[in-house]
């Protein structure tokens, strides 16, 4: 639908998801539900291997929760749909790479959306903050995630003060991967997506499940589960055609052809 706040575009194995809600790309309950459906379909489509999520325009990636919609009756603790707020941060079993291409202001729930991606690229004019403290509420997902992604004291300062950081500082603390001129951002995101899409999808799935599940496990317990194929994705990988293809391609000194089977 052309009037949908979420625009999607498929290019081979890559899905581009663009948040397009003028003026600021804020997310209300209805938009979050659409995003949940989009990312669920991406998760379940065997032909799609990588997603890029970005915002329309040049100023805003996403400022998070739509306060105007809240004033009109959207409950902050309402039903956000599949995957929780923005469709990503609580979506179970999403074992495919997701790239966030941050094209401008990225704050509050918008930063939580970006943190739900696996790789974050940013335009050089982008900026980041968690301003919830100033409105007397908590950035729930960011409070869980950010202290695990960047140094504790920097995360706590952002959460406690709501201060803004630019791309240089965000990159310095490891919150984002790369910074590009705004005009080059999507081209670089697509280049990275194409590289990932050419890789082994079953290995990506195993990596994502291991990282997710091992977060709260002791190292040796996680290793034991891997070596005993007690992760579903590892079990699938070790019995796949792709596992054999990788070995054959190495022996034959050629590029492997991954099928995801």
């Amino acid at each position: 639908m052309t009037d949908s706040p979420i625009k999607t575009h498929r290019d081979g194995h890559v899905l581009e998801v663009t948040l397009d809600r003028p003026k600021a790309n804020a997310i209300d309950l209805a938009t979050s539900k659409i995003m949940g459906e989009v990312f669920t379909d991406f998760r379940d489509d065997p032909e799609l291997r990588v997603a890029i999520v970005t915002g329309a325009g040049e100023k805003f990636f996403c400022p998070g929760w739509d306060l105007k919609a809240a004033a009109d009756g959207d409950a902050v603790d309402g039903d956000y749909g599949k995957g929780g707020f923005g469709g990503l941060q609580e979506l179970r079993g999403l074992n495919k790479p997701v790239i966030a291409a941050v094209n401008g202001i990225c704050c509050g729930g918008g930063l939580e959306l970006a943190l739900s991606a696996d790789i974050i690229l940013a335009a050089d004019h982008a900026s980041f903050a968690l301003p919830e403290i100033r409105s007397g509420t908590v950035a729930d997902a960011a409070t869980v995630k950010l202290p695990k992604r960047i140094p504790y004291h920097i995360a706590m300062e952002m959460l406690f003060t709501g201060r803004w950081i630019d791309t240089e500082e965000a990159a310095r603390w490891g919150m984002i991967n790369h910074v590009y001129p705004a005009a080059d951002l999507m081209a670089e995101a697509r280049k990275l997506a194409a590289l990932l899409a050419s890789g082994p999808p079953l290995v990506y799935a195993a990596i994502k499940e291991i990282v997710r599940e091992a977060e709260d496990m002791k190292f040796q317990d996680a290793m034991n589960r891997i070596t005993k194929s007690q992760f579903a994705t590892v079990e699938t990988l070790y019995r796949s055609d792709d596992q054999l293809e990788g070995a054959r391609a190495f022996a034959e000194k050629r590029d492997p052809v991954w099928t995801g089977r």
Side-chain angles (χ1 to χ4, degrees):
M1 295 174 58
T2 57
D3 60 347
S4 172
I6 304 300
K7 306 296 191 296
T8 60
H9 174 71
R10 295 176 67 127
D11 183 9
H13 296 302
V14 177
L15 177 70
E16 292 185 19
V17 181
T18 303
L19 178 56
D20 187 5
R21 286 195 76 225
K23 300 179 179 179
N25 295 332
I27 297 174
D28 61 0
L29 289 179
T31 301
S32 183
K33 290 175 182 177
I34 295 171
M35 295 175 77
E37 295 292 341
V38 167
F39 287 117
T40 298
D41 290 345
F42 163 69
R43 179 195 65 187
D44 297 340
D45 188 333
E47 294 303 312
L48 290 172
R49 298 184 180 181
V50 184
I52 301 171
V53 57
T54 192
E58 299 177 353
K59 186 175 181 180
F60 291 96
F61 171 72
C62 177
W65 178 239
D66 187 339
L67 295 179
K68 290 184 179 179
D72 290 337
D74 265 14
V76 69
D77 59 349
D79 179 10
Y80 293 111
K82 297 176 182 177
F85 182 81
L88 269 183
Q89 62 190 23
E90 298 176 65
L91 185 58
R92 296 184 178 183
L94 179 53
N95 292 327
K96 300 176 180 180
V98 178
I99 300 166
V102 178
N103 56 301
I105 291 171
C106 177
C107 64
L111 180 50
E112 292 175 332
L113 176 63
L115 290 172
S116 298
D118 302 295
I119 297 173
I120 304 176
L121 311 181
D124 51 11
H125 70 283
S127 55
F128 307 84
L130 294 166
E132 282 85 347
I133 190 73
R134 297 173 185 171
S135 57
T137 189
V138 62
D140 45 15
T143 302
V144 174
K145 290 182 177 182
L146 197 60
K148 298 179 180 180
R149 307 289 181 83
I150 66 175
Y152 172 86
H153 300 97
I154 304 303
M156 296 307 287
E157 181 186 9
M158 290 184 68
L159 288 163
F160 283 157
T161 69
R163 79 173 180 91
W164 289 83
I165 65 173
D166 59 18
T167 52
E168 180 182 357
E169 184 173 1
R172 184 165 75 247
W173 298 128
M175 193 170 78
I176 62 177
N177 296 80
H178 303 287
V179 180
Y180 298 107
D184 298 336
L185 177 64
M186 286 308 297
E188 294 294 339
R190 289 168 183 143
K191 185 188 303 182
L192 177 58
L195 174 65
L196 296 177
S198 71
L202 296 183
V203 178
Y204 294 152
I207 289 170
K208 288 203 66 169
E209 184 181 28
I210 291 169
V211 169
R212 185 173 60 245
E213 296 299 319
E215 185 173 29
D216 297 319
M217 297 174 67
K218 293 181 179 180
F219 173 77
Q220 196 56 57
D221 291 340
M223 288 300 297
N224 290 341
R225 286 192 62 184
I226 295 169
T227 56
K228 295 176 181 178
S229 298
Q230 292 178 345
F231 290 109
T233 54
V234 175
E235 173 77 7
T236 298
L237 172 64
Y238 285 172
R239 285 158 177 73
S240 68
D241 293 339
D242 276 2
Q243 181 81 12
L244 296 174
E245 168 63 8
R248 284 194 297 262
F250 179 81
E252 296 168 7
K253 297 181 180 180
R254 59 174 176 83
D255 292 332
V257 178
W258 309 115
T259 63
R261 297 190 294 273

